[in-house]
Amino acid sequence: MLTVISAVGAICLIVVLVLIYLIKQHRYWRNHGIPGPKPTLVLGNMGDLYYHKTSELHLIDNWYQEFKNEPYIGYYNLWKPTLLVMDPQLIKALNEVDFDHFTDRPINCGNSNNDAIMHSIFNMRGTLWKLKRQILATLFSPKKLKEYSEVLNHYGSSLLGEIDSYSERCEEIPFEQIAKRHVVRTQSFIMYSLDTSQDEEIFSKLSHLSELFERPPTNTTLKFTFFTAAPRLFKFLGVSTYPRELWDFFSKFTKQLIESRNGANVGRDDLVSLVAQLQKEEVLGTDRIGLRESVGHIFTFFAAGINSNLTALTYIIFQLSRHPKVQEKLRNEVDNVLSGNDYVSYDSVMKMKYLEDVIKETLRMFPLGGILGAGILKRTCTIPYKINEKFTIPKGMDVVFPSYSVHMDPNYFPAPEEFIPERFSDSAKSSPLFMPFGKGPRTCIGIRLAYVSLIIALAQIISNYTILPTPNTDFPVKFDPRSVIIASRPLQRLKVKMQKRQKSSFSNQ
């Protein structure tokens, strides 16, 4: 009996101590005189997100609207104090001018050796990140982009063929499904020199795993919560945040890709050849890499590229269906540049300025990144930063920049609910707060490839089809609260119709 009483007493004591700790933690912002939303005892301010009641974009946007006159506020990710910066000058300072104080992204997906994303450039920090970015950026040089444009044109013909089969029957097009096949095939060839159109098994597996990465099972959210609450215990237990299936496949897949290059000439330098080189020799003073980092790069460049390009392409097509005047203006530009051809050269891409504006305006309204980056920018303070006499951001504190909220703020983008690509036609007038792929030195490394990929696919589509709306898509679009990589991923599939154009009507323009 005494043993039972002692055990109960110990449990009660632990509960009391935990409660005292939580109450103390949740006084942090009050003690510093910084306003913010009122936290709950255990989940802080993130309860609606963890329960999948709302997306992180909308959660933070609610705070942005509530505290709009404040330069910054404080909230709690569970019991971890986090700073939300809303002042435009401070956003610019922390991301660009004083970037050396905020060089790192928050590590919010565990430390397990079996979490592939952990070992990629996206989660690297400090000098190592800077050196690896310099190395990997060679994959996105102008010379490489010209090479990629040929790949994108080749697979674009297959994309048009699939759209044809629906347009001929005047049916609604499951565009996201068709676009995903296109994006998986192009990314597979660009990154791996792998033609998945000839291997249905590997195509299906890569498609499945890219979806699993973007929209993982519920227990992944619980693991994120566990890591945020107790990172040291999480690391000690060796828990994998993402499903083990990702690591198991990509570790084997990476080995096979590297081994296939031994003595083989694929005729082009790609991500696989660069990773193989990094395994064999030191580059820019960095040590040779092992399997885990190899898997990290092979996996993350592919998965992040697929989900961002797919979401952006889907939203742009959807917006064009709703704005026929924009579509017609865009079509005139594409027709004039292509002169009736379907091949979109790299030089042609550089001439399609209005198409680039259409892409930018769509990304303003539907910024992409979640934990990797843009819809909500996240940084970790690496050197204490004095904002003013009132508050100094301590080392290790996470800092958040509400890109989506800023993009939809009429003070910075007049009539933000309206789709107006012309707002980007004069680069001198486009807002410095436009940050769809991040901001500062940690801007998305693949941003130029993303634009080239989108422009080529869109030019081919707009040249061949008239895009029409359908009443079966809800608007305004609701975001999927379970999406962790693409913060603005639509909850429901966006649907359109397409009518085939007659080439003869514009081939001589």
Side-chain angles (χ1 to χ4, degrees):
M1 179 63 72
L2 289 176
T3 303
V4 173
I5 294 175
S6 298
V8 172
I11 293 172
C12 290
L13 178 61
I14 292 172
V15 171
V16 170
L17 292 175
V18 168
L19 291 175
I20 292 173
Y21 172 79
L22 293 177
I23 292 171
K24 180 180 179 181
Q25 282 294 101
H26 287 162
R27 287 176 176 168
Y28 181 88
W29 292 121
R30 186 195 310 171
N31 292 341
H32 284 85
I34 295 175
K38 184 178 180 180
T40 59
L41 190 60
V42 177
L43 296 180
N45 298 110
M46 309 304 285
D48 285 348
L49 179 66
Y50 288 131
Y51 289 132
H52 298 308
K53 291 182 178 180
T54 188
S55 68
E56 191 171 11
L57 284 184
H58 285 144
L59 182 67
I60 288 180
D61 188 54
N62 288 337
W63 301 335
Y64 182 89
Q65 302 303 329
E66 182 180 355
F67 300 96
K68 200 165 187 178
N69 295 325
E70 300 290 341
Y72 48 83
I73 64 170
Y75 71 93
Y76 300 92
N77 186 0
L78 300 183
W79 47 87
K80 185 178 182 180
T82 302
L83 188 71
L84 177 63
V85 177
M86 303 186 293
D87 176 74
Q89 297 304 317
L90 197 53
I91 290 175
K92 180 178 176 62
L94 271 57
N95 280 281
E96 297 180 305
V97 181
D98 298 314
F99 173 75
D100 58 322
H101 290 257
F102 302 92
T103 58
D104 297 343
R105 284 195 177 107
I107 298 294
N108 58 2
C109 49
N111 288 291
S112 170
N113 287 332
N114 296 325
D115 259 330
I117 189 176
M118 276 303 304
H119 308 282
S120 74
I121 187 176
F122 295 98
N123 273 314
M124 289 179 177
R125 297 183 153 202
T127 303
L128 180 62
W129 160 77
K130 186 176 182 179
L131 290 172
K132 289 298 172 70
R133 183 183 174 98
Q134 187 176 346
I135 295 168
L136 291 163
T138 59
L139 293 169
F140 308 103
S141 67
K143 180 181 178 181
K144 298 297 293 182
L145 293 176
K146 289 183 180 179
E147 177 186 314
Y148 299 153
S149 67
E150 297 180 8
V151 176
L152 293 161
N153 274 279
H154 170 74
Y155 285 100
S157 60
S158 298
L159 173 64
L160 298 180
E162 292 199 51
I163 294 174
D164 271 348
S165 64
Y166 287 93
S167 65
E168 290 171 356
R169 301 191 299 268
C170 298
E171 293 181 356
E172 282 187 348
I173 296 178
F175 185 77
E176 183 179 347
Q177 177 183 330
I178 294 174
K180 183 165 187 176
R181 283 197 289 271
H182 173 71
V183 173
V184 170
R185 287 167 179 164
T186 55
Q187 285 289 116
S188 299
F189 199 89
I190 287 172
M191 293 297 159
Y192 308 148
S193 297
L194 191 64
D195 187 1
T196 55
S197 64
Q198 304 299 317
D199 191 334
E200 184 62 33
E201 182 179 353
I202 192 66
F203 169 80
S204 298
K205 190 67 176 179
L206 290 172
S207 298
H208 163 69
L209 292 177
S210 67
E211 176 70 15
L212 187 63
F213 177 55
E214 162 58 21
R215 199 171 186 271
T218 302
N219 65 352
T220 296
T221 303
L222 298 177
K223 291 175 183 178
F224 283 146
T225 308
F226 177 21
F227 175 77
T228 302
R232 293 181 181 177
L233 178 60
F234 191 101
K235 183 176 181 180
F236 175 77
L237 295 175
V239 179
S240 297
T241 312
Y242 274 91
R244 181 63 183 262
E245 181 183 359
L246 287 169
W247 173 263
D248 288 344
F249 174 81
F250 272 94
S251 58
K252 182 179 179 181
F253 183 58
T254 299
K255 292 177 183 177
Q256 291 173 340
L257 288 173
I258 300 297
E259 289 173 359
S260 70
R261 297 301 170 88
N262 292 333
N265 182 10
V266 298
R268 57 190 298 271
D269 295 325
D270 57 10
L271 176 63
V272 178
S273 58
L274 182 56
V275 168
Q277 178 189 357
L278 293 173
Q279 285 186 346
K280 294 178 180 178
E281 59 186 86
E282 298 178 3
V283 180
L284 292 180
T286 61
D287 294 334
R288 290 185 297 172
I289 68 175
L291 175 64
R292 290 191 177 93
E293 185 176 333
S294 300
V295 174
H297 296 315
I298 292 292
F299 163 68
T300 314
F301 271 90
F302 175 79
I306 284 178
N307 286 295
S308 58
N309 282 330
L310 173 61
T311 304
L313 184 57
T314 302
Y315 271 128
I316 296 165
I317 291 294
F318 175 68
Q319 287 289 64
L320 290 174
S321 75
R322 299 182 63 251
H323 298 88
K325 291 183 179 179
V326 172
Q327 185 180 162
E328 189 58 31
K329 182 177 179 179
L330 175 58
R331 182 171 291 109
N332 288 335
E333 177 186 75
V334 172
D335 286 353
N336 288 331
V337 173
L338 298 185
S339 298
N341 297 315
D342 284 335
Y343 187 87
V344 187
S345 68
Y346 184 72
D347 290 338
S348 296
V349 168
M350 296 297 103
K351 295 176 182 178
M352 296 182 186
K353 300 301 183 183
Y354 188 64
L355 178 47
E356 184 177 341
D357 295 341
V358 168
I359 294 172
K360 287 181 177 180
E361 177 68 346
T362 304
L363 294 177
R364 179 190 66 81
M365 301 180 75
F366 305 102
L368 300 177
I371 67 168
L372 294 185
I376 308 159
L377 296 185
K378 299 178 181 180
R379 300 289 183 262
T380 297
C381 184
T382 52
I383 303 173
Y385 185 85
K386 186 176 181 179
I387 294 181
N388 49 39
E389 296 300 325
K390 182 179 180 181
F391 184 64
T392 295
I393 304 175
K395 180 179 179 180
M397 175 171 282
D398 291 344
V399 181
V400 174
F401 309 95
S403 309
Y404 171 76
S405 301
V406 170
H407 286 181
M408 299 302 289
D409 190 328
N411 292 319
Y412 313 124
F413 297 91
E417 300 291 343
E418 297 182 24
F419 186 69
I420 311 173
E422 288 77 9
R423 75 172 83 236
F424 291 101
S425 60
D426 186 345
S427 59
K429 295 180 181 179
S430 58
S431 171
L433 289 174
F434 177 63
M435 37 192 170
F437 289 96
K439 193 169 184 64
R442 283 206 86 135
T443 299
C444 174
I445 191 173
I447 182 173
R448 289 183 295 179
L449 175 58
Y451 274 113
V452 171
S453 301
L454 291 170
I455 288 173
I456 290 177
L458 289 164
Q460 290 179 320
I461 292 171
I462 204 74
S463 175
N464 284 276
Y465 306 96
T466 299
I467 307 166
L468 303 171
T470 170
N472 295 327
T473 298
D474 292 336
F475 194 84
V477 177
K478 295 180 180 179
F479 299 151
D480 186 350
R482 285 186 55 189
S483 179
V484 298
I485 303 302
I486 306 299
S488 61
R489 175 169 174 160
L491 181 61
Q492 296 181 334
R493 292 187 183 275
L494 305 180
K495 301 172 183 177
V496 297
K497 287 186 177 182
M498 294 192 190
Q499 286 183 350
K500 185 78 171 180
R501 296 178 68 207
Q502 296 298 318
K503 283 284 185 177
S504 59
S505 65
F506 60 94
S507 58
N508 295 319
Q509 290 184 11

